Amino acid sequence: MFRRAYSSALLEDAVDQLASLPGVGRRTALRLALHLLDEPRENVEQFAGSILRLRRDVRHCPVCGMISDDGACPLCDDARRDRTTICVVESLRDVLSIENTGQYHGLYHILGGIISPIDGIGPDDLSIRSLCDRLEGGGVSEVIMALSTSMEGETTAYYLYKQIARFPLKITAIARGVGFGDDLEYTDELTLGRSIAGRQPFQP
Amino acid sequence: MFRRAYSSALLEDAVDQLASLPGVGRRTALRLALHLLDEPRENVEQFAGSILRLRRDVRHCPVCGMISDDGACPLCDDARRDRTTICVVESLRDVLSIENTGQYHGLYHILGGIISPIDGIGPDDLSIRSLCDRLEGGGVSEVIMALSTSMEGETTAYYLYKQIARFPLKITAIARGVGFGDDLEYTDELTLGRSIAGRQPFQP
């Protein structure tokens, strides 16, 4: 179908930028751009400003990779956290998800990705050496692997295991099984099979 | 469920702003913010800049309400457009949709909304007077109403009709009926009923 260009280069440019966001198509991008065009100018300036500040001013903890506003890591520098346990995750997103459970009180180590030859991401692109440095320092008694169950996640976990097995500590992985609220009927065979193999004593 | 605050005020602020977009919930907003955090700084600056420029620099045509980059209306100032026909629409979005069909070559008049007492929008909030001024100037032989079929759209069309009926011109409305590719079975009764009442000579 013949589609005319928008009459405005400014609009087209904003649509292009919004459409570069994950999960946002050109139709949605146009809707968002027209919404922003209708908003009071101060609101749009605040909107753009908050995104700029996020990217410009956020700092990353050199130890665990967590973000912070002022350079002090909100996790590493928190005296109430259990410093004997490190949970290894792929990304900041996973830290936020685990923190939301309120079930974990130790420290984290953000790898910054997982090993994925297809995407050209090898072990050297991840912060694995810095994890070894942390363990070298001593004081850590358990490393919890909280990586995804994909092929890449399993590969990364295995590689990590080989790197850290030499340290005198417990290496664990988060439990896999049927999720709460999931129907057995709709649970995939691999998950269901593993949840049976990994069955636990019933706690009434 | 107990949910901890994000550790970063900068992140929280960006999530708040992104979640203010239509159709974007807090979960999606967090995903977008983390994506932007991972992007190269220049890209994020371009992103924010294009949105700022859109809101700051876009001009609205004082005659029809269309947007332009430099003050010259891409429609009113286009000598190839048919100046005897004005299509009345609710918003800029509708102009873009109609332009995309490539079927209309006249001018537009953007009302900037529709009459909606619930939202406190009355006739005086819409650019109805400026439409009358355009018609007063003469040279227009047809006004096409391309408003939505909602109660508010019908009310607005009726109000408009009363305002412009005194001018010597044809007043038409876009055709309503069963859309191309729609199943009769799934078409609502009102639409189907009207499409039978408004049947046209068959053109083989």
Side-chain angles (χ1 to χ4, degrees), chain B residues 97-188:
Chain B
S97 298
I98 295 174
E99 281 301 287
N100 272 338
T101 68
Q103 294 293 313
Y104 180 68
H105 308 287
L107 303 181
Y108 289 91
H109 193 84
I110 299 176
L111 292 178
I114 41 176
I115 298 173
S116 173
I118 292 179
D119 300 318
I121 302 173
D124 294 342
D125 300 312
L126 310 180
S127 52
I128 292 174
R129 174 167 298 273
S130 65
L131 175 61
C132 293
D133 289 348
R134 286 177 83 175
L135 299 179
E136 208 86 61
V140 177
S141 59
E142 180 175 359
V143 168
I144 304 172
M145 307 256 208
L147 300 170
S148 63
T149 45
S150 63
M151 170 86 88
E152 291 81 8
E154 305 273 10
T155 305
T156 308
Y158 183 71
Y159 182 89
L160 262 179
Y161 176 79
K162 300 287 268 185
Q163 299 293 310
I164 67 177
R166 63 191 158 102
F167 296 104
L169 45 78
K170 199 160 64 167
I171 302 177
T172 57
I174 54 169
R176 309 293 183 183
V178 179
F180 286 93
D182 285 1
D183 274 333
L184 290 198
E185 188 180 352
Y186 301 118
T187 301
D188 66 286

Side-chain angles (χ1 to χ4, degrees), chain A residues 20-38:
Chain A
S20 75
L21 293 173
V24 177
R26 287 193 69 82
R27 235 190 149 81
T28 305
L30 176 59
R31 191 160 53 89
L32 297 180
L34 294 177
H35 165 83
L36 289 165
L37 196 53
D38 279 345

Side-chain angles (χ1 to χ4, degrees), chain A residues 121-180:
Chain A
I121 302 173
D124 294 342
D125 300 311
L126 310 181
S127 53
I128 293 175
R129 175 169 297 274
S130 65
L131 175 62
C132 292
D133 290 346
R134 284 177 83 176
L135 299 178
E136 206 86 62
V140 177
S141 60
E142 180 175 0
V143 167
I144 305 172
M145 308 257 209
L147 300 171
S148 63
T149 45
S150 62
M151 171 85 89
E152 290 81 7
E154 305 271 8
T155 305
T156 308
Y158 183 72
Y159 182 88
L160 261 180
Y161 176 80
K162 300 288 269 185
Q163 298 294 310
I164 67 176
R166 62 192 159 101
F167 296 104
L169 46 78
K170 199 161 63 168
I171 302 176
T172 58
I174 54 169
R176 308 293 183 185
V178 180
F180 286 94

